[in-house]
Amino acid sequence: MSAQLLWQATLETLYMTGVATLLAHLAGIPMGVLLVVTDRGHVLEHRWLHEVLAAVVNIGRSVPFIILLVAIIPFTRWVVGTSIGTSAAMVPLTVAAIPFVARLVETALREVDPGVVEAALSMGATPWQIVTRVLLPEALPSLALGAAITAVSVLGYSAMAGAVGGGGLGDLAVRYGYQRFRTDVMLQTVVLLVILVQAIQAAGDAAARRLRH
């Protein structure tokens, strides 16, 4: 029975982590790009927009996940129709990860050599071409590492969401490992989480190495 429960919880954790990480990147990458290109001296300088985006990202990163999880329950219910289960847990996971991704993308793009951008501008490249053909391709190794860091963070958040009925390994650890004193289940969930973190980080490192060559 334990094996079946662990397998089901592992699948739920992978499902939550994968979908939430993907959705967070769909929203976080454009936000991170805007943070860079609207900054002073860049191709689409717009101080007002930059300051607003930076404030939104800072506010999003300032709210502890356990508080965010509870605070946006009405929004979660509006999106998926329930506040319990893996589908419901993905909403706060995504919301929490978006500003995190935006900052990682911003950091990765700022590592791109400004000389490359200036060279592209001197050849008449448009802002869109600067972003899509210079900034993002040059920053791909850093973006791959950032994606791995985000996935590991979301994995940790998903375990926390399990404490309030979010499903997955965290939920299993709380219901069986803590409430029913099943030490064996608790240890198994911890081992599985460690293995998942190692696998995600190894995949991110391998992707970054491949993109550098």
Side-chain angles (χ1 to χ4, degrees), residues 41-65:
H42 222 289
V43 293
L44 288 175
E45 180 178 338
H46 195 300
R47 294 298 300 168
W48 181 84
L49 178 58
H50 178 80
E51 294 299 332
V52 169
L53 282 173
V56 169
V57 170
N58 287 339
I59 291 170
R61 295 182 63 203
S62 301
V63 181
F65 180 68

Side-chain angles (χ1 to χ4, degrees), residues 16-29 94 97-98 101 150-151 154:
M16 285 189 289
T17 302
V19 174
T21 301
L22 175 62
L23 293 176
H25 276 78
L26 290 177
I29 288 177
T94 303
I98 287 174
V101 171
T150 303
V154 171

Side-chain angles (χ1 to χ4, degrees), residues 179-195:
Q179 295 177 347
R180 302 185 188 183
F181 304 104
R182 291 284 303 274
T183 306
D184 58 326
V185 176
M186 178 70 82
L187 289 175
Q188 288 167 348
T189 56
V190 172
V191 170
L192 281 171
L193 286 170
V194 171
I195 291 172

Side-chain angles (χ1 to χ4, degrees), residues 127-200:
W128 175 254
Q129 289 172 327
I130 293 291
V131 171
T132 58
R133 299 185 184 181
V134 178
L135 289 176
L136 290 176
E138 290 288 328
L140 272 180
S142 297
L143 292 174
L145 288 174
I149 293 171
T150 303
V152 169
S153 299
V154 171
L155 181 67
Y157 288 160
S158 74
M160 201 182 302
V164 292
L169 290 169
D171 183 45
L172 189 67
V174 171
R175 285 192 295 115
Y176 286 83
Y178 177 68
Q179 295 177 347
R180 302 185 188 183
F181 304 104
R182 291 284 303 274
T183 306
D184 58 326
V185 176
M186 178 70 82
L187 289 175
Q188 288 167 348
T189 56
V190 172
V191 170
L192 281 171
L193 286 170
V194 171
I195 291 172
L196 289 176
V197 168
Q198 295 296 324
I200 291 170

